Amino acid sequence: MNQLGPTKKIVLLCLLLLLGSCSGLDKQQRTQPNIVFISIDDLNDWVGFLGYEQVKTPHMDRLAARGFSFSNAHCPAPVCGPSRTAILSGMRPVTSGIYDNNIKFSRDLPQVVSLPEHFKNNGYQVYGIGKLFHGSTANVPTTAFDAYGGKLGSAAPFTSSDLQISKQNPYHEISKLGKTFKLPLNGMPADRYWNRANTFDWGPIDLPDSLFSDRQSVDWSIDKLHKIKDQPFLLTLGFERPHQPLFNPKRFHDMYLLNEVELPKTPADDLRDLPQRAKQLALYPKTSGKHETVVKYGQWENAVASYLASVSFVDELVGDLVKALETLKLKNNTWIVLWSDHGWHLGEKSHWGKATGWYRSTRVPFLIIPPAGSTDYKKAIEIKNMVNLLDLAPTMADIAGIPKKTSWEGRSLMPLLREEASDWEEVSLTTFSIGSHTISTPDWQLISYFDGSFELYDLVNDPNQFKNIAYLPESKIVLEQLKKHIPEEPHWNYFIRHGDYKILIPKNGSIKIFDQMLEGKNDKDMAGSLPGLIRKIERYIEQYSPQEKKFIIAALE
């Protein structure tokens, strides 16, 4: 009988260990779940599973019945660029320095590994299409995906050229498939006349679904599901609706009759008790148009109906994607994560669009749906704890069983899903500009402006935020408790308001000055053209040495 020598025994043992490790790796790859990651652009909390009765969202509602819905979810920032950057980088705006839409991920955060790339680096096949990163396709990091299907734009079936303001004098006729459309469909002149395109528009488009960007994105995603050979995979799909313009196939607009549309509640004196900066935010058409224009042209009902139509269009497409997972027998090993980047105003606080600190801008729909075959999690659970979309990255890493990056600032939500969270901090931070933040809890919302002014709302007794109680004596204790959660923003020494000017004084570098009401240029640093004002500010700081970091200067000498 042949005996193995010592050397051969060692070689054989190494081979057995190697085979065992490979087998273990194969088993891990087979058992790691797939994840479908769905983002929806500008979707506020007008969805059925959050209790909004006017909208029809049966597919998202059925998803909620299969898993977890978060009724107190808020965004990291109420603007597309900084919110998506926070979610995909895992870092708050105050950490990354990304506060506005002037963002290109690979240019501005060259050392940061995005969430999709982190999955790719940890053994996942990663696919993406639509609006995930902010901006055009050129803004998507080349290392983020194994395959990226591009981004057509929410104006489709029209192009951005079709929407040019210079062509709308007052209308621009467009022909598609033998049909003529007069843009703008709503007949309103552009309040943001300084922009190239007029996107503050809405109405039905009687053209095939296949011409709309979100339909194309879902079709691409379903085709990719058919072709995926290797698992686990991360499929990321970014819907571009209900971002304006609110153009949808006609049948979705037919679902919402104008004479039956319920408008948001807006008391005539709703801005009366707001600080000056809040009134500016309410009335300035930073991201959409003016409320007075919508009312003047009799378009409020049409706008609300068109927004609801956009939501229902997206809902149907979500249903198509879920059906594909079921048809391809992927549902038993696939998690679904669905979220919106921030909310959207439709006349509340006399505002249209986003970029505010109010509840309508900060609260978002958020679903996490475990695999259909899982018995480890309960179904149809409404989680009322405070969560933030910044929590997405660590939660998804835990779902996938891959490492979490130390730079991520969110909290994994797995303790909530497993009902193991005993000391969850019930607070969420939203940053809506440099120096301005919202602190949300289940009962309260504190809005802190860069000039040191505040709003405080009792969400239990005043869910519509009609009464600012920040300056009532009985609010002092709550106000001081919530103020502790306002971030320091250590890169800045002072935040000052002087008239309409926002003045930022950094620890290092030059003073920055912004005219908050200068139409079309309120985000442009004007310091270079205001040397006299800079000298006055410097003298003021030198003379008074302010102890407060945020304040208002009524007059400068």
Side-chain angles (χ1 to χ4, degrees):
M1 183 175 180
N2 292 331
Q3 297 290 326
L4 291 175
T7 302
K8 290 184 177 180
K9 287 182 178 180
I10 293 173
V11 171
L12 180 59
L13 179 61
C14 290
L15 286 172
L16 290 172
L17 289 172
L18 180 61
L19 288 171
S21 65
C22 290
S23 175
L25 180 60
D26 289 343
K27 183 178 180 181
Q28 180 187 13
Q29 289 176 334
R30 287 196 303 271
T31 57
Q32 276 185 296
N34 308 311
I35 302 176
V36 172
F37 187 68
I38 302 172
S39 73
I40 305 176
D41 201 7
D42 285 15
L43 175 60
N44 63 23
D45 55 7
W46 287 8
V47 289
F49 64 85
L50 288 179
Y52 188 72
E53 297 179 354
Q54 187 171 202
V55 73
K56 299 176 178 65
T57 53
H59 300 286
M60 285 189 274
D61 297 346
R62 279 196 287 271
L63 273 182
R66 280 179 43 190
F68 300 91
S69 61
F70 296 84
S71 55
N72 274 316
H74 292 262
C75 61
V79 185
C80 300
S83 183
R84 290 169 180 271
T85 301
I87 292 163
L88 297 175
S89 71
M91 297 187 296
R92 299 184 180 98
V94 296
T95 303
S96 69
I98 306 302
Y99 289 90
D100 56 37
N101 278 340
N102 183 24
I103 164 67
K104 184 173 182 179
F105 199 99
S106 55
R107 176 196 67 198
D108 299 320
L109 300 172
Q111 305 303 318
V112 175
V113 175
S114 69
L115 182 59
E117 185 177 359
H118 182 66
F119 268 75
K120 195 171 71 157
N121 293 344
N122 283 276
Y124 270 72
Q125 297 294 309
V126 181
Y127 307 97
I129 190 168
K131 187 172 180 180
L132 298 159
F133 293 85
H134 181 68
S136 67
T137 300
N139 284 8
V140 177
T142 57
T143 54
F145 302 102
D146 290 295
Y148 178 64
K151 173 177 174 286
L152 189 60
S154 59
F158 303 118
T159 66
S160 58
S161 176
D162 294 335
L163 272 59
Q164 281 187 24
I165 292 174
S166 60
K167 296 178 180 179
Q168 297 180 359
N169 190 27
Y171 293 101
H172 178 213
E173 289 194 354
I174 304 291
S175 293
K176 299 279 185 183
L177 299 183
K179 297 180 179 180
T180 300
F181 301 89
K182 292 173 63 177
L183 300 178
L185 293 183
N186 61 19
M188 288 171 28
D191 288 320
R192 297 187 297 166
Y193 57 85
W194 52 85
N195 281 357
R196 182 173 180 269
N198 179 13
T199 61
F200 193 50
D201 195 8
W202 44 77
I205 305 295
D206 192 11
L207 289 172
D209 290 15
S210 59
L211 297 182
F212 292 80
S213 57
D214 290 330
R215 175 75 265 174
Q216 293 180 22
S217 293
V218 168
D219 288 346
W220 184 94
S221 299
I222 293 174
D223 181 66
K224 189 61 64 177
L225 289 174
H226 278 276
K227 294 177 180 178
I228 288 175
K229 302 298 182 183
D230 297 320
Q231 297 186 45
F233 64 80
L234 169 64
L235 175 64
T236 65
L237 166 61
F239 286 108
E240 299 184 70
R241 284 167 180 75
H243 192 290
Q244 64 190 36
L246 304 172
F247 299 152
N248 308 282
K250 183 176 180 297
R251 70 180 186 281
F252 294 101
H253 291 263
D254 292 342
M255 294 167 61
Y256 300 99
L257 302 179
L258 298 188
N259 62 345
E260 297 179 0
V261 166
E262 181 180 341
L263 299 178
K265 297 177 181 178
T266 53
D269 63 347
D270 196 19
L271 306 186
R272 173 183 49 81
D273 58 0
L274 301 187
Q276 176 64 19
R277 180 57 193 141
K279 293 177 182 177
Q280 291 177 335
L281 273 181
L283 300 177
Y284 183 80
K286 182 176 177 63
T287 62
S288 293
K290 295 180 180 179
H291 184 56
E292 63 181 357
T293 304
V294 175
V295 174
K296 176 182 177 180
Y297 283 82
Q299 282 291 314
W300 200 354
E301 289 84 359
N302 194 8
V304 170
S306 297
Y307 186 85
L308 296 173
S310 296
V311 176
S312 290
F313 185 20
V314 169
D315 180 75
E316 180 177 287
L317 296 174
V318 168
D320 289 348
L321 184 63
V322 172
K323 183 178 180 181
L325 291 172
E326 296 170 351
T327 301
L328 295 170
K329 296 180 171 54
L330 292 168
K331 67 176 183 177
N332 287 341
N333 191 38
T334 300
W335 288 72
I336 299 174
V337 179
L338 181 148
W339 52 277
S340 167
D341 53 357
H342 47 71
W344 211 72
H345 287 253
L346 290 100
E348 301 93 336
K349 297 292 182 191
S350 298
H351 186 74
W352 287 81
K354 49 218 175 188
T356 77
W358 292 302
Y359 198 70
R360 178 59 68 235
S361 268
T362 69
R363 191 191 189 203
V364 294
F366 183 21
L367 297 174
I368 296 181
I369 314 302
S374 173
T375 58
D376 297 331
Y377 303 92
K378 294 182 179 180
K379 295 182 179 180
I381 301 299
E382 177 191 351
I383 294 180
K384 298 180 180 181
N385 301 83
M386 298 302 302
V387 302
N388 192 284
L389 295 181
L390 201 68
D391 302 329
L392 275 166
T395 304
M396 288 178 60
D398 277 349
I399 287 173
I402 63 176
K404 295 191 283 284
K405 297 187 72 65
T406 57
S407 59
W408 291 346
E409 297 179 289
R411 303 176 285 183
S412 174
L413 302 177
M414 292 306 287
L416 295 179
L417 305 189
R418 293 173 176 151
E419 299 182 295
E420 297 172 353
S422 58
D423 57 349
W424 194 262
E425 186 178 30
E426 299 294 349
V427 64
S428 182
L429 168 67
T430 300
T431 296
F432 56 97
S433 71
I434 298 176
S436 297
H437 313 276
T438 295
I439 308 300
S440 301
T441 74
D443 297 337
W444 303 94
Q445 192 167 64
L446 173 68
I447 304 174
S448 167
Y449 293 96
F450 74 89
D451 62 2
S453 59
F454 294 96
E455 293 172 68
L456 177 65
Y457 295 100
D458 178 350
L459 297 179
V460 175
N461 297 303
D462 181 24
N464 293 307
Q465 300 188 310
F466 291 151
K467 185 177 181 181
N468 174 20
I469 59 173
Y471 299 102
L472 297 181
E474 55 267 34
S475 300
K476 184 176 181 180
I477 294 176
V478 172
L479 186 70
E480 293 303 317
Q481 288 175 339
L482 295 176
K483 283 167 65 175
K484 295 176 183 177
H485 297 285
I486 299 172
E488 281 294 321
E489 295 184 273
H491 300 300
W492 305 95
N493 278 335
Y494 294 109
F495 304 92
I496 305 168
R497 182 169 64 80
H498 173 56
D500 286 338
Y501 289 126
K502 178 176 183 177
I503 302 164
L504 306 178
I505 302 181
K507 286 191 179 296
N508 300 297
S510 304
I511 292 176
K512 299 179 182 297
I513 302 176
F514 303 88
D515 186 336
Q516 298 286 270
M517 298 301 286
L518 183 61
E519 293 186 337
K521 297 181 179 179
N522 74 336
D523 57 351
K524 305 296 183 184
D525 182 6
M526 304 178 62
S529 62
L530 297 168
L533 179 58
I534 290 178
R535 286 194 294 271
K536 290 180 180 180
I537 294 167
E538 290 173 337
R539 284 200 300 268
Y540 183 95
I541 298 297
E542 183 178 356
Q543 180 178 356
Y544 296 104
S545 299
Q547 298 302 302
E548 295 294 329
K549 189 170 184 174
K550 302 178 179 181
F551 55 92
I552 299 169
I553 301 177
L556 282 169
E557 298 179 357

